[in-house]
Amino acid sequence: MGLITFDAEDRWNAFITLCREADHGDGPLAGVPVAVKDNISTAGVQTTCGSRILQGYIPPYDAHVVELLRAAGAAVVGKTNMDEFGMGTTTESSAFGPTTNPVDPSRVPGGSSGGSAAAVAAGMVPMALGTDTGGSIRCPAAFCGIVGLKPTYGRVSRYGLIAYANSLEGIGPMARNVTDVSSLFSAIAGPDARDATSIDRPYAHTPSSDGIAGLRIGVPAEFFGAGVDPAVAEKVRSAIDSLADLGAEIVECSMPSMAFALAAYYVTCTSEASSNLARFDGIRYGPDIESKRSWHDAYQEHRREHFGKEVRRRIMLGTFALSAGYYGKYYAKAQAARKNVGEDFARLFADVDVVAGPTMPTTAFALGEKTADPLSMYLADILTVPANLAGVPAISVPCGSVDGLPVGLQLIGRHCEEERIIDTAYAYEEVRR
């Protein structure tokens, strides 16, 4: 056991809460400072989900992943900024102000795990935990030029994760290189009896580039379609060519379900959010209701005042999609489209080992660029949401820059084949060095 002093300067608003002195134990991560996204419960440390409605909430227990971090010897040094309840692509919807991108402070770091990505990219911590509902680990990893892994749904316990969209989200590692992502993933992966969706697939793997020769890499045409910056596409194509130079076989393919993936994602996640966020009523968590009006009126007033604009928008969208007369028109169709995405991945993985493409269609946006146009922000998730809809693992690894801003290569694998996509990312990382 030991104590570390964490005195890093936070010039990027990467953290909501800092733990200037943090305990650590013995283990593979002994003494390593790790940042934790602020929607993951930490006993005795404020956990806000980036929202005023949870300001001051101190969980009485640790999330399963935090228990595992402590067991591995890591020091939890703070809770990172995020889009409110994970709803956003820029970390600008946080009630505690936006995080800026350490690569260029006039740009967003991506979201919703922007604080975790910024803390790693700025060198404040070597590793961090984020969560990924529709790209919220991979987007900021790409925008900040670090590595981020979205694990297979269920391979990391969600116990202690404050829910946004249960069927889509998961916790994953972020770091400056693939080896560190692999080390952090090995600490948090594995079964948990408290999470009914947990699967018994621990991870104990050392990244290697030995298996790249003969690897079949599928490249769907839709990943390079309209909306993808040609300069970004060129960088990603070059990265895929580098893997071909190592002996991988590139297979051009198609994924027609991409046409409906984004719509299916947003109907699903907003519907689940409208249910999950109903519990925040001013009685059980966060600031007290001070109104002397009727409970019903006070409940409305409290949520209106303490939820941000984006959260209120998504609750309303989800409630509408689930309402009488519209369930079949929207939610049921979204689930059919989601099934098609899963079937498309199954078809592709019968022929290829890994699917590759850009993580994000553009480089990092300027601060404020997308806040007035939420639809354009939603469209930016088009390349990341398919992996969440299907529950398959995906990793983003830096593959160069455009006008000084990082570009991410996304690698997607079969269920529980994180080892393969991590090895592929590691092989590419080795080539770039």
Side-chain angles (χ1 to χ4, degrees), residues 135-321:
S136 292
I137 286 174
R138 290 159 290 154
C139 163
F143 280 2
C144 290
I146 66 168
V147 182
L149 171 69
K150 182 207 94 66
T152 299
Y153 183 80
R155 197 162 184 184
V156 175
S157 170
R158 290 185 299 109
Y159 176 78
L161 170 61
I162 298 174
Y164 158 29
N166 313 60
S167 75
L168 297 163
E169 62 199 358
I171 301 169
M174 308 174 78
R176 285 195 289 272
N177 57 66
V178 175
T179 299
D180 284 352
V181 160
S182 180
S183 297
L184 186 52
F185 184 48
S186 68
I188 63 172
D192 176 17
R194 297 167 296 186
D195 177 2
T197 64
S198 174
I199 56 177
D200 189 2
R201 287 294 294 268
Y203 173 88
H205 179 71
T206 301
S208 169
S209 57
D210 292 344
I212 301 304
L215 187 77
R216 289 174 62 83
I217 300 177
V219 182
E222 292 81 2
F223 279 29
F224 294 87
V228 177
D229 184 333
V232 168
E234 182 180 351
K235 287 292 180 182
V236 173
R237 286 282 188 186
S238 177
I240 294 170
D241 289 342
S242 296
L243 291 170
D245 292 340
L246 294 175
E249 181 182 350
I250 308 306
V251 180
E252 299 293 337
C253 55
S254 180
M255 192 170 172
S257 62
M258 285 282 289
F260 304 103
L262 195 64
Y265 168 77
Y266 273 101
V267 170
T268 301
C269 73
T270 57
S271 297
E272 294 185 13
S274 73
S275 173
N276 283 322
L277 272 61
R279 75 191 74 176
F280 301 109
D281 53 12
I283 297 174
R284 289 168 286 190
Y285 314 98
D288 292 334
I289 288 181
E290 298 177 356
S291 174
K292 295 182 180 179
R293 303 165 67 189
S294 70
W295 180 85
H296 188 269
D297 289 341
Y299 174 80
Q300 287 183 312
E301 180 182 323
H302 182 80
R303 286 164 66 86
R304 182 169 56 249
E305 290 180 357
H306 291 86
F307 277 142
K309 186 176 182 180
E310 182 61 29
V311 173
R312 296 198 306 271
R313 178 186 292 119
R314 296 197 191 196
I315 289 173
M316 291 175 67
L317 285 170
T319 303
F320 175 76

